[in-house]
Amino acid sequence: MSNNDIHEMDSMSGTDEMECDAVLGMIDEDVVYTQEFLPTYQSIEEGAAVTKAALVEFNDKPDSLFFNDGVRRIDFILVYEDEDKKDFEKRYESQHHKRRREYFEASLMKMGLELEATKSVIDEKLLFVKVHMPWDVLCTYAEVLHIKLPIQPNNLSSQPSPWRFFSCITKHFYPNEDLLTKEAEFFTAPFDKDRLEYFYVTDKDTFFTASMRGRMAYYILSRAPYEVRGKIKKFGITKLLDGGVYKAAYPLHDGKFNTKSEEESCNNERFLLYKEWAHPKSFYKMQPLNHIRKYYGEKIGIYFAWLGFYTRMLAVAAAVGVGCFIYGYKTQETSTWSMEVCDPDIGGNIVMCPQCDRDCKYWRLNSTCEASKKLCIFDNFGTVMFAVFMSIWVTLFLEFWKRYQAELEYTWDTVEFLEQEEQPRPEYEAKCIYERKNPITGVDEKVPYTAFGRCVRVSIGISTVIFWIMLILASIVAIIVYRLAAFLAFSAKLRSQDLKELEPLKEYVTPQMATSVTASIISVIVIMILNILYERVAIWITDFELPRTRTDYENSLTLKMFLFQFINYYSSCFYIAFAKGKAVGYPGNPVYLMGKYRNEECDPGGCLIELTTQLAIIMGGKAIWNNIQEILLPWVKNLIFLYTRGPSDKAIPRWEQDYQLQPYAKLGLFREYLEMVIQFGFVTLFVVSFPLAPLLALVNNLFEIRVDAWKITTQFRRVVPEKAQDIGAWQPILYSLAILAVATNAMIIAFTSDMIPRLVYYWSFSVYPYGDHHNNTMQGYIHSSLSIFNISDFSNDSKPLKTPDNITSCRYRDFRYSPGHPRQYEYTIYYWHVIAAKMAFIIVVEHIMYLTKFILSYVIPDVSYAVREQIKREKYLTQVVLHEANLKLVTKHLKPVDDGAAKYTKVNLTWEEMQPGFSE
């Protein structure tokens, strides 16, 4: 059945307001309904007239998932407040809601659904409407949504697992198979109710799973009309929920999460998932993905599959990162240049120039001894190798994920999802008032806007996004200004000889470190505030653009939110890595920001340690804030709800127990993806500055999987099942981050760390000796990397207020000629050699890494051989089995004709009979 057929079915529900009034007039105000499906309904009036029944009472079976007759399964629950028991001031609005609700329920009846209403056990104002989909309706909408169902057991032998020899050990890391039994595998095909005999139907009650039934029920609820005024038809449960006509709409959990149900008809899947998946004690076990998909739908299942795969791959990166960290930790005491910084005879005798104007003082290089040692942990040859490894790792992660995703697509029957199952969003269909000719089919179709209107919508959306990006950039500039002002204050305090109470801190806390930590904390706070504001703006823009399908909507929102989050989270890191300390001039001629604030300088060892600090604080702060939002808030809300409700001695039915849980947010899964993709960016884009980032991400994700499982199983109502083929727009975003990560890590090594200048110094002794060393050592590097400045060349605006009498010159981080040289304070040849080495390093590393990524992408196939064979087998069976009816029909219509001379066959078929979907 095509989408146009559905529109025709919906349009039968009424065409004008008179019909709406006539229907409402036939519905007694004091009656709620129990409906029986009558496929011969010709109008809503007829459906409403034959389905009046009294309000049913609760049957005292708290875990029952059926109507009071114990036969019809509950597929969905609608909750509303009784208008007759509302306050007098709200009566007028309540009557309007009542009219809409009654028309909506009458529309549902006409579309074939059966309804049964019951009062709340706890709150007498609430009424619960149970929705049931009869067999005929299930078959119809399974065909409409192209749901693939079993046609034959899978007779292809699966390849034995290479880990089967270690099953006695690995079985402890998998869910208990005695509880979560492995389901039989089937070949499937899109459902066709006219060929029902070809499908593997053993029991009509279990042929359609609960997630399939919930998905089909929500599809109908999203398209049932609730009001008709002239040519304008309003429909969809979403609008009724937003308008307060209904308080909630959700499918049912199949029981309690912590207690096994005694009902024979209950599968206890929620209880089993909690015990083997969501419980904290199961954190070390693999996820039962097939059962997750069966209970929550493919969209939730693919998220947990991706998160689990990403976490397993992080274990490898974390192990290598820890090894790199240990190497740096062990070598920090033997680093020649760090030892020179800490040496009282070398670093203690080097007087450094003030790093700000007037108030800053001269300082000794050995005051940064501890910071130099910490820098050696992250800035060493091991980090270069780790950056190369991570470039390969991210490619392998994405390629192997594509293979795994292809396997899930086949197993979960989503291979052709986008081509077959994408239906227009109800919000899109409701605004289709213009006509245009479809360029593909040539048929006139309804659209919500003209070409000019679409341009206007897109332009307004782009303008709004640009405005908010400028707002983010303004906040970044404000934080930079804070950094400059804070550095001035910390320099005056931490290097003051008057404040004895700060003496213990001076050895460990430098002005740069104090500035970086406080600025990072402020950045985290600003990021969280802007995230809350922009999320609402992004949703409004996307709603205004009116995308056609759910996938288009999510992709558009994903692009906007990620662009914002990218700038919001990573901008401060990019500033430290590629802007700070790069344009500072020299003490006698500093560079100013906005003509007032002197640009920041890096420590003598570079800005890498500050980038590490920034990265660690943002990742840690983000994880803490997300856990508060994901765990604490739903738990506290549920506790408050239970406390305000008070104790009850009555048995509470399943639908009312679920109503007490938190509704799963429309963008709940979107936020989960966004959180993980931002984390992926931190792990890949700046990993060379913080090798422990994969370890932190791994620990966070081990908790994240179980936290997400716990909250979705225990704290939220059951999610409306949705189908998804892959992770959507997040996949190209991950590829973009992987490509960008090669460039950022190469540039961090070249421009942020001090690696390239050290290498040039180390290998230059035989070609162009820059220092006093005569072999491959780092002796004398500190003197070589610091230029000399004559303090008499200070301008009046930048000259320090206090100058010791025994100082005539100071040192600063740069490669410039000394005072008295014909080219004093100009760049030396060493500087240009270092720049050339940096550019050569970036070009060589990027080309090698991109070539490696290309080769790996080409060598690793996207779909494994076993999956390809199974797909071919399934297509063959579909062709043979489902088209057998057409072959029989053609054979039946072949009639022998005898003209007296020879016998031949005449085909006597009409065009309609020759179509693939025709049957008698």
Side-chain angles (χ1 to χ4, degrees), residues 1-26:
M1 184 180 295
S2 66
N3 195 51
N4 292 332
D5 297 332
I6 300 300
H7 283 283
E8 292 177 5
M9 292 174 60
D10 294 344
S11 64
M12 292 173 63
S13 61
T15 56
D16 54 41
E17 188 176 4
M18 293 179 61
E19 180 183 357
C20 177
D21 295 335
V23 173
L24 297 178
M26 300 181 67

Short mmCIF file of all heavy atoms in Angstrom, two decimals, residues 1-26:
data_model
loop_
_atom_site.label_atom_id
_atom_site.label_comp_id
_atom_site.label_asym_id
_atom_site.label_seq_id
_atom_site.Cartn_x
_atom_site.Cartn_y
_atom_site.Cartn_z
N MET A 1 0.85 -1.20 0.00
CA MET A 1 0.00 0.00 0.00
C MET A 1 0.88 1.24 0.00
O MET A 1 1.82 1.33 0.77
CB MET A 1 -0.90 -0.01 1.25
CG MET A 1 -1.89 1.15 1.29
SD MET A 1 -2.91 1.06 2.77
CE MET A 1 -3.81 -0.43 2.48
N SER A 2 0.60 2.16 -0.84
CA SER A 2 1.43 3.35 -0.96
C SER A 2 1.04 4.37 0.09
O SER A 2 0.03 4.27 0.77
CB SER A 2 1.28 3.97 -2.37
OG SER A 2 -0.03 4.45 -2.52
N ASN A 3 1.88 5.41 0.19
CA ASN A 3 1.59 6.47 1.14
C ASN A 3 0.32 7.23 0.77
O ASN A 3 -0.40 7.72 1.62
CB ASN A 3 2.79 7.42 1.20
CG ASN A 3 2.73 8.32 2.40
OD1 ASN A 3 2.56 7.86 3.53
ND2 ASN A 3 2.89 9.60 2.18
N ASN A 4 0.05 7.33 -0.54
CA ASN A 4 -1.18 7.99 -0.97
C ASN A 4 -2.41 7.23 -0.49
O ASN A 4 -3.45 7.82 -0.19
CB ASN A 4 -1.21 8.11 -2.50
CG ASN A 4 -0.17 9.09 -3.00
OD1 ASN A 4 0.20 10.02 -2.28
ND2 ASN A 4 0.32 8.88 -4.21
N ASP A 5 -2.29 5.90 -0.43
CA ASP A 5 -3.41 5.11 0.07
C ASP A 5 -3.70 5.44 1.52
O ASP A 5 -4.86 5.49 1.95
CB ASP A 5 -3.09 3.62 -0.07
CG ASP A 5 -2.93 3.21 -1.53
OD1 ASP A 5 -3.55 3.87 -2.38
OD2 ASP A 5 -2.19 2.25 -1.80
N ILE A 6 -2.64 5.67 2.28
CA ILE A 6 -2.85 6.02 3.68
C ILE A 6 -3.55 7.36 3.80
O ILE A 6 -4.44 7.56 4.62
CB ILE A 6 -1.49 6.06 4.42
CG1 ILE A 6 -0.83 4.69 4.34
CG2 ILE A 6 -1.67 6.47 5.85
CD1 ILE A 6 -1.63 3.58 4.97
N HIS A 7 -3.14 8.30 2.94
CA HIS A 7 -3.82 9.60 2.95
C HIS A 7 -5.30 9.44 2.64
O HIS A 7 -6.16 10.12 3.20
CB HIS A 7 -3.16 10.54 1.93
CG HIS A 7 -1.89 11.10 2.41
ND1 HIS A 7 -1.82 12.13 3.32
CD2 HIS A 7 -0.60 10.76 2.14
CE1 HIS A 7 -0.57 12.42 3.57
NE2 HIS A 7 0.20 11.60 2.87
N GLU A 8 -5.62 8.55 1.70
CA GLU A 8 -7.02 8.34 1.36
C GLU A 8 -7.77 7.72 2.53
O GLU A 8 -8.91 8.09 2.82
CB GLU A 8 -7.11 7.42 0.13
CG GLU A 8 -6.59 8.08 -1.15
CD GLU A 8 -6.64 7.12 -2.32
OE1 GLU A 8 -7.17 6.00 -2.14
OE2 GLU A 8 -6.16 7.49 -3.39
N MET A 9 -7.13 6.81 3.25
CA MET A 9 -7.76 6.23 4.42
C MET A 9 -8.01 7.29 5.47
O MET A 9 -9.06 7.33 6.11
CB MET A 9 -6.87 5.12 4.99
CG MET A 9 -6.77 3.89 4.12
SD MET A 9 -5.57 2.72 4.78
CE MET A 9 -6.31 2.39 6.39
N ASP A 10 -6.98 8.17 5.67
CA ASP A 10 -7.14 9.24 6.65
C ASP A 10 -8.24 10.21 6.25
O ASP A 10 -9.00 10.69 7.09
CB ASP A 10 -5.81 10.00 6.81
CG ASP A 10 -4.74 9.11 7.41
OD1 ASP A 10 -5.13 8.06 7.97
OD2 ASP A 10 -3.56 9.47 7.31
N SER A 11 -8.33 10.52 4.95
CA SER A 11 -9.30 11.51 4.50
C SER A 11 -10.73 11.03 4.67
O SER A 11 -11.66 11.84 4.71
CB SER A 11 -9.03 11.86 3.04
OG SER A 11 -9.23 10.72 2.23
N MET A 12 -10.95 9.73 4.78
CA MET A 12 -12.29 9.20 4.99
C MET A 12 -12.82 9.55 6.37
O MET A 12 -13.99 9.41 6.66
CB MET A 12 -12.29 7.67 4.82
CG MET A 12 -12.04 7.22 3.39
SD MET A 12 -11.85 5.45 3.28
CE MET A 12 -13.49 4.94 3.82
N SER A 13 -11.90 10.01 7.27
CA SER A 13 -12.32 10.30 8.63
C SER A 13 -13.15 11.56 8.72
O SER A 13 -13.74 11.87 9.75
CB SER A 13 -11.09 10.43 9.53
OG SER A 13 -10.29 11.48 9.07
N GLY A 14 -13.22 12.35 7.67
CA GLY A 14 -14.04 13.55 7.71
C GLY A 14 -13.47 14.60 6.80
O GLY A 14 -12.30 14.64 6.60
N THR A 15 -14.33 15.46 6.31
CA THR A 15 -13.84 16.48 5.39
C THR A 15 -14.21 17.88 5.82
O THR A 15 -13.71 18.83 5.27
CB THR A 15 -14.43 16.24 3.99
OG1 THR A 15 -15.85 16.21 4.08
CG2 THR A 15 -13.92 14.94 3.42
N ASP A 16 -15.06 18.06 6.77
CA ASP A 16 -15.39 19.41 7.19
C ASP A 16 -15.83 19.40 8.65
O ASP A 16 -15.97 18.37 9.30
CB ASP A 16 -16.48 20.02 6.30
CG ASP A 16 -17.71 19.13 6.22
OD1 ASP A 16 -18.10 18.58 7.23
OD2 ASP A 16 -18.27 18.96 5.16
N GLU A 17 -16.07 20.57 9.17
CA GLU A 17 -16.40 20.72 10.58
C GLU A 17 -17.78 20.17 10.89
O GLU A 17 -18.04 19.69 12.00
CB GLU A 17 -16.33 22.20 10.95
CG GLU A 17 -16.47 22.45 12.44
CD GLU A 17 -16.30 23.91 12.77
OE1 GLU A 17 -16.14 24.70 11.83
OE2 GLU A 17 -16.33 24.24 13.97
N MET A 18 -18.68 20.15 9.91
CA MET A 18 -20.02 19.61 10.15
C MET A 18 -19.94 18.13 10.49
O MET A 18 -20.64 17.64 11.39
CB MET A 18 -20.89 19.83 8.91
CG MET A 18 -21.18 21.31 8.63
SD MET A 18 -22.18 21.51 7.14
CE MET A 18 -23.66 20.62 7.61
N GLU A 19 -19.07 17.42 9.76
CA GLU A 19 -18.93 16.00 10.05
C GLU A 19 -18.38 15.81 11.46
O GLU A 19 -18.80 14.93 12.19
CB GLU A 19 -17.99 15.36 9.03
CG GLU A 19 -17.80 13.88 9.27
CD GLU A 19 -16.81 13.26 8.30
OE1 GLU A 19 -16.33 13.99 7.43
OE2 GLU A 19 -16.54 12.07 8.44
N CYS A 20 -17.41 16.66 11.84
CA CYS A 20 -16.83 16.57 13.18
C CYS A 20 -17.91 16.76 14.24
O CYS A 20 -18.01 16.00 15.20
CB CYS A 20 -15.74 17.63 13.34
SG CYS A 20 -15.02 17.69 14.98
N ASP A 21 -18.76 17.79 14.06
CA ASP A 21 -19.84 18.04 15.02
C ASP A 21 -20.82 16.89 15.05
O ASP A 21 -21.35 16.52 16.11
CB ASP A 21 -20.57 19.34 14.67
CG ASP A 21 -19.64 20.55 14.81
OD1 ASP A 21 -18.67 20.44 15.60
OD2 ASP A 21 -19.89 21.57 14.15
N ALA A 22 -21.11 16.31 13.87
CA ALA A 22 -22.04 15.19 13.83
C ALA A 22 -21.51 14.00 14.60
O ALA A 22 -22.24 13.32 15.32
CB ALA A 22 -22.31 14.79 12.37
N VAL A 23 -20.22 13.75 14.46
CA VAL A 23 -19.61 12.63 15.18
C VAL A 23 -19.68 12.87 16.67
O VAL A 23 -20.08 12.00 17.45
CB VAL A 23 -18.15 12.45 14.74
CG1 VAL A 23 -17.48 11.41 15.61
CG2 VAL A 23 -18.10 12.04 13.29
N LEU A 24 -19.29 14.07 17.10
CA LEU A 24 -19.28 14.36 18.52
C LEU A 24 -20.68 14.33 19.11
O LEU A 24 -20.87 14.00 20.27
CB LEU A 24 -18.62 15.73 18.77
CG LEU A 24 -17.15 15.80 18.36
CD1 LEU A 24 -16.63 17.21 18.59
CD2 LEU A 24 -16.33 14.79 19.11
N GLY A 25 -21.65 14.66 18.29
CA GLY A 25 -23.02 14.60 18.76
C GLY A 25 -23.49 13.18 19.00
O GLY A 25 -24.43 12.94 19.76
N MET A 26 -22.91 12.24 18.33
CA MET A 26 -23.31 10.83 18.48
C MET A 26 -22.59 10.16 19.64
O MET A 26 -22.88 9.02 19.97
CB MET A 26 -23.00 10.06 17.19
CG MET A 26 -23.72 10.60 15.97
SD MET A 26 -23.35 9.62 14.53
CE MET A 26 -24.12 8.07 14.97
#
